[in-house]
């Protein structure tokens, strides 16, 4: 039988891979945004938060005497989409990027909720508390992205700007 602790290690590794991918995607997108300063600034803020999240997840793994080396394929699907999105240079990339970015934050939220339940089941209250703090940042980012999508859309539709 696989214990909750073993699942926790496994899924924390997935979360680590998710955050590494998120950092790449966020910084690639932020770098290409020139005409959307509010979105660019919020993405840059979340790049810093995301880097921090990756190292906090890594510390959780070390606390469980595990490491990040063995990356699983479970996140392959979403990271594949993320990589594809980072490579899109269509004229509406800011819109597609903002939609995908908001959806990605909800993906992270659900993953952290699942991890918190798993950490609690494994009796790892300290790790659950770390994950709760990360979850708060993801919730704030998801809410901001969702709240600001209409403004991004209105600007894009009004100006027909390419970026
Ligand atoms: Mg994150
Ligand atoms: Fe995030």
């Amino acid at each position: 039988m696989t214990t909750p602790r073993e699942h926790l290690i496994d899924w924390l590794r997935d979360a680590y891979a998710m955050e590494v991918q998120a950092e790449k995607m966020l910084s690639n997108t932020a770098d290409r945004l020139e005409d959307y300063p509010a979105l660019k600034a919020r993405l840059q803020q979340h790049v810093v938060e995301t880097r921090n999240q990756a190292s906090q997840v890594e510390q959780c793994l070390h606390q469980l005497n595990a490491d990040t080396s063995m990356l699983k394929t479970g996140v392959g699907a979403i990271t594949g989409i993320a990589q594809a999105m980072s490579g899109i240079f269509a004229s509406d990339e800011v819109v597609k990027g903002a939609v995908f970015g908001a959806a990605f934050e909800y993906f992270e939220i659900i993953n952290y909720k699942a991890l918190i339940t798993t950490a609690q089941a494994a009796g790892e209250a300290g790790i659950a508390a770390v994950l709760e703090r990360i979850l708060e940042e993801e919730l704030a980012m998801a809410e901001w992205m969702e709240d600001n999508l209409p403004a991004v859309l209105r600007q894009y539709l009004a100006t027909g700007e390419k970026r």
Side-chain angles (χ1 to χ4, degrees):
M1 183 204 159
T2 310
T3 63
R5 182 194 164 88
E6 286 166 334
H7 282 306
L8 180 61
I9 290 171
D10 202 13
W11 296 336
L12 281 169
R13 284 179 173 139
D14 288 347
Y16 181 79
M18 176 178 76
E19 295 301 354
V20 168
Q21 186 60 48
E23 191 205 326
K24 271 186 226 160
M25 184 177 59
L26 287 162
S27 43
N28 284 348
T29 308
D31 286 351
R32 291 209 304 271
L33 287 175
E34 295 306 331
D35 302 325
Y36 297 81
L39 178 58
K40 186 184 176 95
R42 187 63 178 90
L43 290 175
Q44 285 170 332
Q45 180 194 329
H46 201 54
V47 168
V48 176
E49 290 170 343
T50 299
R51 245 177 239 142
N52 236 311
Q53 291 169 357
S55 76
Q56 287 177 85
V57 170
E58 192 174 13
Q59 280 161 28
C60 290
L61 282 164
H62 290 160
Q63 211 173 309
L64 295 163
N65 297 313
D67 59 34
T68 56
S69 65
M70 207 183 73
L71 296 182
K72 282 203 41 236
T73 52
V75 288
I78 194 88
T79 58
I81 297 167
Q83 274 161 351
M85 283 305 300
S86 329
I88 281 178
F89 291 95
S91 68
D92 62 350
E93 70 173 333
V94 63
V95 173
K96 288 180 173 163
V99 168
F100 183 80
F104 192 85
E105 295 305 323
Y106 284 105
F107 176 77
E108 291 188 287
I109 286 165
I110 300 303
N111 272 283
Y112 281 109
K113 286 185 174 176
L115 274 172
I116 289 162
T117 301
T118 308
Q120 285 162 348
E124 295 289 345
I127 288 175
V130 171
L131 298 170
E132 291 275 6
R133 286 195 296 274
I134 296 178
L135 175 63
E136 288 306 313
E137 290 177 347
E138 307 297 27
L139 285 165
M141 182 60 173
E143 193 180 354
W144 193 95
M145 291 294 285
E146 195 173 345
D147 289 351
N148 285 269
L149 188 59
V152 169
L153 270 169
R154 278 193 296 268
Q155 180 181 338
Y156 176 79
L157 294 170
T159 63
E161 288 282 359
K162 289 200 156 93
R163 296 149 43 104

